[in-house]
Amino acid sequence: MQTHIHFENRKSVDYTIYIDEMEKMHFDTKVAIVTNPKVAGLHLSKLLEKISAKELYIITVKDGENYKNQESLDYILENLFNHRFDRNSLLIAFGGGVVGDMTGFAASVFQRGIDFIQIPTTLLSQVDASVGGKTGINNRFGKNLIGAFYQPKAVYIETEFLKTLPEREFGAGVAEIVKMAVTFDADFFQFLEYADLHQQSDLAAAIRKSVETKAKVVGEDEKEKGIRAVLNYGHTFAHVIENITGYSRYLHGEAVAIGMVMANRLAQRLGFLDDEEALRIQKVLERYHLPVSFKIEDPERFYDAFFLDKKSENETIKFILPYHIGGYEMVRGVDRALVLSVLREFDSED
Ligand code: GLY
């Protein structure tokens, strides 16, 4: 199955996302597969059955968000220079979001930009991070603050790679699937309520629908000037949760699950979401063992931390909230006292 991503304002960067359709590929150029030791150990031999090149190199970076930094980027670039890569060379990102974001960014800056392909191996990167060209690294000021919008030439999603995915990481990917269904597609959400994503056919259908949704959104708004921001539903809260828990207690998707529950609570207060709808969303998250509660020790500090997010422009917070199931509202200028009273309701752990 294939989905085409069509950029309304920049046709030249259109590309195709292939789901379970990866054929043997030969590249008549230098190619480097960027991966991490875990993914390489589990899946690299499978990938190498499919990929050959004039010269093929494997670059292994350390695994984890902590290594999504300048040092790893330099390591990738050094390898490219050592192997005398040129403007016709190609990078292949083979791993989760960290590998994908760093490889894409390396491709965007190496000799002012070379081609790259995404082959995501986690559910989260298959349904979200690998599509749409957000690339970058973290620094001490925050996550993804150095980067570029730089589109891959193609994305190959192979659901086979998910078979070894730990349950928590699977759930983290489900959170991003739920995010897209709640804000864009009531039928898709209803499907998720009855589906079992551990079943291959349901999972493939959910991946396909998520990727189609994301491709449409990004095609309309590549640089997040408008509708793409809706993909940040739950993330405004999640970024604060990740920050105050030192990026170690929750996987990103888990923090997003809690963040969606918090956003829902605010949406309920504003009359955008019924109690019953909020409960339906929470139930789907709980089915995949995602956390849905969090103890906010200091609501004022939590509130202030919203302003550290790079997405809070002009000192105002933009909340992405569901408008019933299948719709969204982007709201600015929500009364501080109202937000604080919602935050105060989060006073216990799971
Ligand atoms: N992960 C949200 C986006 O790509 O815009």
Side-chain angles (χ1 to χ4, degrees):
M1 188 256 147
Q2 302 178 4
T3 293
H4 199 62
I5 173 160
H6 168 65
F7 291 88
E8 284 181 6
N9 301 321
R10 224 157 61 92
K11 274 202 183 69
S12 62
V13 293
D14 287 6
Y15 56 94
T16 302
I17 300 144
Y18 301 86
I19 303 179
D20 286 332
E21 278 200 359
M22 196 162 81
E23 305 280 341
K24 283 198 172 177
M25 294 185 266
H26 178 79
F27 300 96
D28 210 11
T29 54
K30 294 190 184 192
V31 173
I33 297 172
V34 182
T35 187
N36 68 41
K38 196 155 81 189
V39 173
L42 290 168
H43 304 299
L44 189 58
S45 57
K46 266 257 156 309
L47 186 69
L48 292 177
E49 287 170 14
K50 297 256 170 87
I51 290 183
S52 59
K54 189 168 141 209
E55 286 178 37
L56 184 60
Y57 299 92
I58 311 297
I59 301 174
T60 311
V61 290
K62 289 183 187 148
D63 184 20
E65 191 71 38
N66 290 342
Y67 299 103
K68 188 176 160 183
N69 57 21
Q70 187 73 48
E71 203 181 317
S72 303
L73 176 71
D74 287 343
Y75 179 76
I76 296 169
L77 295 173
E78 284 279 323
N79 269 276
L80 304 185
F81 288 114
N82 282 335
H83 298 309
R84 299 187 183 284
F85 272 47
D86 60 31
R87 284 210 164 138
N88 297 316
S89 306
L90 172 81
L91 296 189
I92 297 177
F94 186 50
V98 169
V99 163
D101 285 11
M102 277 202 301
T103 307
F105 189 46
S108 79
V109 292
F110 182 76
Q111 297 195 3
R112 298 207 177 89
I114 58 172
D115 289 350
F116 86 110
I117 286 176
Q118 289 272 19
I119 307 184
T121 57
T122 64
L123 184 57
L124 187 139
S125 59
Q126 293 193 346
V127 296
D128 194 5
S130 67
V131 177
K134 277 190 178 175
T135 74
I137 55 172
N138 307 330
N139 69 1
R140 72 187 174 85
F141 294 95
K143 280 176 75 174
N144 301 321
L145 294 180
I146 301 173
F149 287 100
Y150 192 69
Q151 300 299 335
K153 285 289 155 197
V155 181
Y156 293 91
I157 293 171
E158 293 291 297
T159 50
E160 184 189 338
F161 293 132
L162 300 178
K163 291 196 177 125
T164 55
L165 199 65
E167 194 53 32
R168 271 185 74 191
E169 285 205 36
F170 187 84
V174 173
E176 301 282 5
I177 294 174
V178 171
K179 166 192 89 174
M180 287 188 254
V182 170
T183 43
F184 287 114
D185 193 332
D187 290 342
F188 182 26
F189 182 78
Q190 214 167 18
F191 164 81
L192 293 176
E193 284 184 293
Y194 295 102
D196 175 1
L197 298 182
H198 287 103
Q199 298 297 325
Q200 177 59 26
S201 57
D202 284 358
L203 178 63
I207 292 173
R208 194 195 67 223
K209 194 71 206 163
S210 302
V211 166
E212 279 170 1
T213 306
K214 178 135 191 200
K216 191 165 173 301
V217 169
V218 171
E220 260 177 61
D221 176 25
E222 183 188 8
K223 303 259 167 89
E224 201 171 305
K225 303 279 185 224
I227 194 173
R228 185 167 182 168
V230 177
L231 298 171
N232 298 324
Y233 161 46
H235 287 60
T236 310
F237 295 91
H239 290 156
V240 178
I241 294 168
E242 288 180 292
N243 188 280
I244 59 185
T245 54
Y247 298 94
S248 55
R249 190 185 325 165
Y250 298 109
L251 298 173
H252 175 65
E254 292 175 331
V256 169
I258 302 170
M260 287 191 283
V261 173
M262 289 180 173
N264 290 356
R265 202 70 68 84
L266 184 57
Q268 284 169 272
R269 291 288 197 88
L270 292 167
F272 298 163
L273 195 68
D274 303 336
D275 296 355
E276 181 253 341
E277 291 168 325
L279 197 64
R280 283 170 62 199
I281 298 168
Q282 185 162 326
K283 275 195 174 147
V284 175
L285 299 172
E286 283 173 334
R287 278 231 318 276
Y288 296 94
H289 310 294
L290 284 157
V292 292
S293 64
F294 180 75
K295 186 171 171 53
I296 298 180
E297 306 276 357
D298 184 344
E300 307 254 347
R301 193 179 139 221
F302 195 104
Y303 183 88
D304 290 343
F306 284 135
F307 295 95
L308 302 176
D309 195 318
K310 66 179 180 305
K311 285 163 191 129
S312 21
E313 295 150 25
N314 312 325
E315 303 296 303
T316 66
I317 316 166
K318 178 165 68 184
F319 287 107
I320 311 296
L321 303 176
Y323 187 77
H324 300 292
I325 287 177
Y328 62 85
E329 284 282 345
M330 293 194 232
V331 276
R332 281 192 191 279
V334 181
D335 186 39
R336 181 174 183 273
L338 175 64
V339 178
L340 277 172
S341 82
V342 167
L343 296 178
R344 283 197 191 97
E345 288 176 16
F346 289 84
D347 57 5
S348 63
E349 299 286 347
D350 262 332

